[in-house]
Amino acid sequence: MLRLCAPDELAEGQSRGFEIAEKKLFAVRKDGQLYAYRNRCPHRGIPLEWLPDQFLDTSASLIQCATHGALFLIESGECVAGPCAGQALQILAISEDDQGIWVDLNEA
């Protein structure tokens, strides 16, 4: 497991991007739960955000691809609207303890 950041560096309802070992990923905290995905849209294979750490739609309830507006469920990464509907983001194992937020880049 690789450390992403301190627990207080990812607030409730926020997203944050990271690059570790030349791999782009992002994490989201929603309803006290953490979710992590590879930062790669299944439609075009490009990063999702258009500004640093901007992975969520305006309501902060869905992940949004800035390039073509595809929307993904935060809890599963499933695309529910847009050109890649039915596909999903690649989920990563994530955990948290007092020392930090941790991700496993070898997961699915």
Side-chain angles (χ1 to χ4, degrees), residues 31-60:
D31 298 329
Q33 296 291 313
L34 288 170
Y35 304 92
Y37 297 96
R38 291 223 186 266
N39 183 3
R40 185 177 185 278
C41 181
H43 177 230
R44 290 259 171 95
I46 57 176
L48 295 163
E49 81 279 28
W50 60 279
L51 287 173
D53 303 325
Q54 299 296 312
F55 294 92
L56 303 178
D57 68 351
T58 55
S59 69

Side-chain angles (χ1 to χ4, degrees), residues 4-5 9 15-16 18 30-31 34 37 39 42 49 54-55 60 62 71 76 80-81 85 87 89 91 104 107-108:
L4 294 179
C5 62
E9 292 178 317
S15 59
R16 185 167 172 193
F18 303 91
K30 181 182 177 191
D31 298 329
L34 288 170
Y37 297 96
N39 183 3
E49 81 279 28
Q54 299 296 312
F55 294 92
L62 294 165
L71 297 171
S76 66
V80 294
Q87 294 180 298
L89 300 172
I91 195 165
D104 186 347
E107 277 295 305

